[in-house]
Amino acid sequence: MSNQSQGEVDAANVMASAMKAAEDLYNIRETYFPSNPDDKISRLQAHSDLALNLLDSIPSEQRKLPMQRATYEYLRGKILDVFPEYRKEAEDHLSKAVKLSPSLADAWLCLGNCIWKKGDLPSAKNCFTLALSKGPNKKILSQLSMLERRMAQGAENQADIVEESIKHAKEAIMLDVKDGNSWYNLGNACLTCFFVTGAWDHSKLLQSLKAYQNAEKDESMNSNPDLYFNCATVNKYLENYERALSGFEAAASRDPGLNSTEEVRKIVNLLDKLESLLRGQTKAKRLNSLASSLAAVNLNPSYRKATVGILSDGLNKKVAIIGKVLFFVKHENVAPLYYLVCDTDQSCYVLSVYGIRDEACDIEIKDPLQIKEGDQLTLLEPNYRDVDFSWNGKAYRFNSVRVDFLEQVIVNGKAISSTQAVRTAILAQHKP
């Protein structure tokens, strides 16, 4: 073999090693979550320096051809872009790569991610679209889906943009039904859709949970703390307390920086407070008095009157229950509002109310708290569940009723003012 041929072989081997080093570098980024974030940056810096040195060891004469040069520029840009912040040097190298070889789909993908970091979302989307023009690719489809959710924030047609996000997420899954990251991305898309369309369609939450569960089947996703955190967030919103607690603990064990332990503490504190209030229910004489005062309440004839004890699990359509507020339960989260309520049969249950502003925490608002202790409530189409589980040796059991819209709540015979409505929001953040 001639010296020139041997040199080309050696250069190709080094280039392959540099590609492997770049992949290993990104694997560190996606799986290494030390308690001190600075340790992660230090490790990334050390490994990126090694990868760049390896790349630069290729003789300049072995990277003169357009494809050789394009691959070199692509890898150099990709290695430099592994860090959270935007780096112009990375963009410059990636831009050179796609100019030298427009068919390099991975270079377009990396360039789109790099440009995204500096906030130029339309240009980032253009890069992803150009990458897809080279052929279907699950990674590019997932990134495009994620970018679209980010672009939906504040847009007038955000629901339409999120539907596009779901479409691209599903297309990625069709290319590889076993790919956990694609399923994870679909779960995020369905969760975002739930919130931007008004936070009423619980089927979107259930679709999100199913997607997350499919993602968990892929062992490569076991190290993704965001998967467990996001899944726990859905369960928390659905008031699947035990699953939420388990999910947040799983996320905390993978990435201490996600503050999942704080989420666990908040849920446990709330459950302890609810359990304490229920255990110390007001005297039977008072409950009897409160319940008897509810007997004369008139009800819209289109609704069937019921008590908590006969509600079905889940949404109870065309059903109404009547009760008296015993306690307003203060807690640390913004939503929902929690109350302890007495039913017409003297049964006590926990009521969670979504979509209503809490004026008790805002002295600037002159209107009184919309639901307060002593109020008479009529709850239309309540969502019911029997909470019964143990956590760290402590048992929690209570009847739970939730309502998601102010139109479902009548207070002392009157509807709640629409000015008190609030809309739950969620942000689709990009994690470079």
Side-chain angles (χ1 to χ4, degrees):
M1 183 180 292
S2 67
N3 290 337
Q4 182 179 357
S5 298
Q6 183 61 49
E8 290 175 353
V9 171
D10 292 343
N13 289 337
V14 175
M15 187 69 80
S17 297
M19 286 184 178
K20 176 67 165 55
E23 292 302 318
D24 291 344
L25 183 62
Y26 274 74
N27 186 56
I28 292 172
R29 190 186 73 170
E30 301 301 329
T31 62
Y32 180 55
F33 299 99
S35 56
N36 184 352
D38 291 339
D39 291 343
K40 180 172 184 174
I41 298 299
S42 296
R43 179 175 288 195
L44 288 175
Q45 188 64 61
H47 282 261
S48 65
D49 289 343
L50 290 173
L52 289 173
N53 290 335
L54 183 61
L55 190 63
D56 288 340
S57 70
I58 302 173
S60 58
E61 62 269 17
Q62 299 298 337
R63 40 185 165 96
K64 285 184 177 180
L65 295 176
M67 193 59 195
Q68 293 173 334
R69 185 67 182 173
T71 304
Y72 170 84
E73 295 289 349
Y74 153 60
L75 286 175
R76 192 168 188 85
K78 181 175 183 177
I79 292 167
L80 290 168
D81 193 50
V82 75
F83 300 96
E85 71 279 358
Y86 164 74
R87 292 192 175 185
K88 186 178 185 302
E89 185 182 2
E91 182 183 351
D92 290 342
H93 285 290
L94 291 167
S95 295
K96 288 178 184 177
V98 297
K99 287 177 183 177
L100 288 165
S101 180
S103 63
L104 266 180
D106 284 346
W108 282 113
L109 172 61
C110 289
L111 180 59
N113 285 330
C114 182
I115 292 174
W116 184 345
K117 292 178 185 178
K118 72 175 183 179
D120 189 351
L121 306 188
S123 293
K125 183 174 182 179
N126 185 52
C127 289
F128 294 155
T129 303
L130 285 168
L132 282 175
S133 70
K134 315 306 174 187
N137 183 299
K138 64 184 180 182
K139 288 184 179 180
I140 299 169
L141 284 165
S142 291
Q143 285 299 101
L144 177 58
S145 173
M146 191 191 307
L147 175 64
E148 286 167 334
R149 294 197 296 279
R150 177 62 183 85
M151 296 180 77
Q153 295 176 25
E156 291 184 4
N157 61 331
Q158 59 179 341
D160 294 333
I161 298 175
V162 173
E163 280 299 327
E164 279 294 302
S165 171
I166 292 177
K167 172 177 170 287
H168 288 129
K170 289 181 176 178
E171 287 175 0
I173 291 171
M174 289 176 65
L175 294 175
D176 184 358
V177 73
K178 294 183 179 180
D179 183 62
N181 186 67
S182 297
W183 281 110
Y184 164 66
N185 182 59
L186 177 62
N188 292 344
C190 290
L191 178 57
T192 303
C193 184
F194 168 76
F195 287 104
V196 301
T197 56
W200 64 270
D201 186 358
H202 283 208
S203 68
K204 290 295 182 187
L205 284 182
L206 298 177
Q207 288 172 26
S208 182
L209 275 183
K210 184 176 180 180
Y212 289 143
Q213 289 165 357
N214 283 328
E216 290 178 16
K217 295 176 183 178
D218 184 346
E219 290 185 5
S220 68
M221 295 299 291
N222 182 58
S223 58
N224 183 345
D226 292 323
L227 167 60
Y228 294 92
F229 189 93
N230 292 359
C231 189
T233 299
V234 175
N235 278 312
K236 175 184 172 183
Y237 196 85
L238 288 172
E239 297 177 18
N240 295 330
Y241 299 110
E242 185 176 16
R243 293 180 185 177
L245 288 166
S246 298
F248 283 128
E249 282 207 338
S253 69
R254 288 162 175 79
D255 182 2
L258 278 178
N259 211 27
S260 304
T261 303
E262 180 68 7
E263 291 295 329
V264 170
R265 185 192 64 79
K266 287 180 180 180
I267 295 175
V268 171
N269 283 354
L270 170 65
L271 291 169
D272 285 344
K273 183 175 285 190
L274 294 176
E275 192 271 340
S276 177
L277 287 172
L278 286 165
R279 187 163 29 87
Q281 292 171 12
T282 53
K283 295 179 181 180
K285 184 176 181 181
R286 185 193 174 205
L287 287 179
N288 183 55
S289 174
L290 291 172
S292 62
S293 69
L294 298 171
V297 175
N298 293 321
L299 192 64
N300 186 319
S302 60
Y303 290 91
R304 176 173 59 86
K305 187 175 181 180
T307 57
V308 171
I310 62 173
L311 290 179
S312 301
D313 190 62
L315 186 65
N316 289 260
K317 294 185 177 181
K318 294 300 178 181
V319 171
I321 58 174
I322 300 167
K324 278 273 190 177
V325 178
L326 300 177
F327 300 104
F328 169 59
V329 185
K330 294 182 179 180
H331 63 104
E332 298 172 82
N333 291 319
V334 175
L337 304 182
Y338 282 97
Y339 300 89
L340 190 64
V341 181
C342 168
D343 198 359
T344 53
D345 62 1
Q346 301 184 42
S347 296
C348 292
Y349 61 91
V350 173
L351 170 66
S352 52
V353 183
Y354 293 79
I356 298 179
R357 191 185 308 277
D358 177 11
E359 285 72 55
C361 301
D362 191 344
I363 60 175
E364 299 297 324
I365 300 177
K366 295 181 180 180
D367 293 339
L369 184 65
Q370 288 300 306
I371 302 175
K372 57 187 182 298
E373 295 174 8
D375 281 345
Q376 169 195 297
L377 301 181
T378 301
L379 307 174
L380 308 177
E381 301 196 339
N383 200 311
Y384 171 80
R385 71 181 305 135
D386 176 21
V387 176
D388 185 4
F389 74 99
S390 295
W391 183 258
N392 288 342
K394 184 169 183 178
Y396 299 98
R397 181 166 190 180
F398 55 88
N399 292 322
S400 173
V401 172
R402 67 177 284 162
V403 290
D404 291 280
F405 305 102
L406 58 85
E407 292 85 359
Q408 291 177 269
V409 186
I410 298 173
V411 183
N412 299 322
K414 297 180 180 180
I416 296 177
S417 168
S418 60
T419 60
Q420 303 305 317
V422 292
R423 181 171 172 177
T424 308
I426 191 168
L427 299 180
Q429 297 293 347
H430 174 49
K431 302 193 74 174

